């Protein structure tokens, strides 16, 4: 038999450090791979990016270098009632969480105190990079904010996404974009600046200069829009083809 222990955000140190279960399996000779299905479900305490560590404990294990496995997952909510509105002013993250594919992730939820972005559109909170300092966002950063899962399976007409946003970016070198997925993995750029049904959707049709965004994006400063309010602009887009989809982010 072999005992497998898993734990959220840190490596299990012993048999009692995490959720453990013993599996009866023939184990000898060369390294063996098997599927360990736990009887106790993993129940996260809150939404966000989680690192799950699993560790095998085997008596007389001659090679402990292959006993550990780690997987990063995102935990979120499922939204089924519409219209849906979020102003980010509650104590919880409401299923929204941030992450990064690079070393830095500057996203924070709270009340901003920046030179360009002095306050949220709807007081007091918003998501912003480095909310507590006047410093710019970190260089060479590819970070993101992920929404809850939206279950549009009961909708007949395509829904519409609307939001206020405020940005201060290095023009053409840096950008921001909205992407969508219907399976939680494959994200595609949402909308196009030439779409006449959208409103104030992207101000740059070309990829960013460092190719971090390979498509249309917002770049520069949002206060160049004539309709801005303290730098905040209103944007909207029809989520074409997403009515009937049950796992949209």
């Amino acid at each position: 038999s072999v005992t497998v222990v898993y734990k959220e955000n840190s490596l299990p140190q012993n048999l009692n450090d995490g959720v453990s279960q013993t599996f009866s399996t023939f184990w000898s000779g060369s390294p063996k791979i098997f599927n360990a299905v736990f009887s106790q479900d993993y129940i996260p305490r809150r939404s966000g990016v989680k690192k799950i560590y699993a560790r095998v404990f085997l008596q007389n294990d001659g090679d402990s270098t292959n006993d550990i496995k780690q997987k990063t997952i995102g935990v979120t909510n499922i939204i089924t009632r519409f219209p849906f509105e979020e102003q980010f002013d509650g104590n919880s993250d409401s299923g929204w969480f941030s992450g990064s594919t690079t070393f830095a992730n500057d996203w924070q939820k709270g009340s901003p105190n920046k030179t360009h972005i002095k306050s949220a559109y709807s007081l007091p909170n918003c998501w912003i990079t480095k909310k507590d300092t006047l410093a710019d966002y970190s260089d060479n950063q590819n970070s993101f904010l992920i929404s809850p899962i939206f279950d549009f399976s009961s909708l007949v007409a395509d829904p519409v996404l609307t939001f206020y946003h405020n940005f201060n970016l290095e023009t053409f070198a840096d950008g921001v974009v909205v992407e969508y997925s219907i399976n939680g993995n494959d994200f595609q750029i949402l909308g196009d600046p030439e779409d006449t049904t959208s409103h104030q959707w992207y101000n740059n049709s070309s990829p960013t200069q460092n190719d971090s965004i390979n498509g249309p994006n917002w770049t520069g400063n949002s206060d160049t829009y004539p309709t801005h309010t303290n730098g905040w602009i209103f944007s909207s887009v029809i989520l074409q083809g997403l009515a009937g989809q049950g796992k949209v982010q």
Side-chain angles (χ1 to χ4, degrees):
S1 64
V2 60
T3 300
V4 182
V5 183
Y6 74 84
K7 189 177 180 182
E8 179 183 299
N9 293 334
S10 63
L11 179 66
Q13 299 301 311
N14 54 60
L15 291 172
N16 299 314
D17 187 23
V19 178
S20 66
Q21 186 166 332
T22 300
F23 300 88
S24 298
T25 180
F26 178 73
W27 198 283
S28 64
S30 301
K32 180 180 178 182
I33 299 175
F34 79 105
N35 291 323
V37 180
F38 282 75
S39 58
Q40 179 179 341
D41 291 338
Y42 165 60
I43 302 177
R45 285 167 290 185
R46 57 179 299 178
S47 60
V49 177
K50 312 292 183 182
K51 290 184 177 181
I52 306 299
Y53 293 85
R55 187 171 190 173
V56 171
F57 290 89
L58 177 66
Q59 190 175 9
N60 301 321
D61 188 355
D63 182 8
S64 61
T65 62
N66 56 5
D67 293 350
I68 298 169
K69 195 73 174 178
Q70 184 266 322
K71 185 175 180 63
T72 301
I73 64 173
V75 178
T76 187
N77 300 338
I78 299 178
I79 307 300
T80 58
R81 295 184 178 182
F82 305 101
F84 170 81
E85 180 180 350
E86 177 60 66
Q87 296 185 353
F88 307 116
D89 292 333
N91 293 326
S92 73
D93 292 331
S94 303
W96 298 77
F97 62 90
S98 65
S100 178
T101 62
T102 52
F103 70 96
N105 173 18
D106 293 338
W107 286 102
Q108 297 175 291
K109 190 187 82 167
S111 180
N113 181 28
K114 312 287 286 187
T115 301
H116 179 81
I117 305 176
K118 301 180 184 298
S119 64
Y121 182 81
S122 60
L123 300 177
N125 292 340
C126 64
W127 280 90
I128 189 172
T129 55
K130 293 187 176 180
K131 68 179 179 68
D132 296 321
T133 173
L134 298 180
D136 295 335
Y137 49 83
S138 302
D139 291 336
N140 303 314
Q141 180 175 175
N142 186 21
S143 60
F144 49 83
L145 179 65
I146 294 187
S147 74
I149 294 172
F150 294 98
D151 183 357
F152 296 145
S153 58
S154 63
L155 301 186
V156 177
D158 287 332
V160 178
L161 171 66
T162 66
F163 61 99
Y164 287 90
H165 55 128
N166 193 334
F167 53 88
N168 181 26
L169 305 163
E170 187 176 352
T171 305
F172 300 130
D174 297 332
V176 64
V177 68
V178 177
E179 297 180 322
Y180 74 97
S181 170
I182 59 173
N183 58 18
N185 294 310
D186 303 311
F187 282 84
Q188 304 177 53
I189 292 178
L190 175 66
D192 186 281
E194 306 302 324
D195 181 5
T196 57
T197 65
S198 65
H199 178 67
Q200 297 186 150
W201 199 260
Y202 304 140
N203 60 3
N204 180 29
S205 299
S206 303
T208 53
Q209 290 175 353
N210 58 11
D211 291 330
S212 60
I213 299 177
N214 190 25
N217 54 85
W218 284 287
T219 191
N221 298 316
S222 54
D223 58 12
T224 60
Y225 283 81
T227 57
H228 81 89
T229 302
N230 297 323
W232 291 92
I233 65 171
F234 176 83
S235 293
S236 67
V237 66
I238 298 175
L239 304 181
Q240 297 182 12
L242 295 186
Q245 296 288 340
K247 193 178 181 182
V248 178
Q249 287 180 286

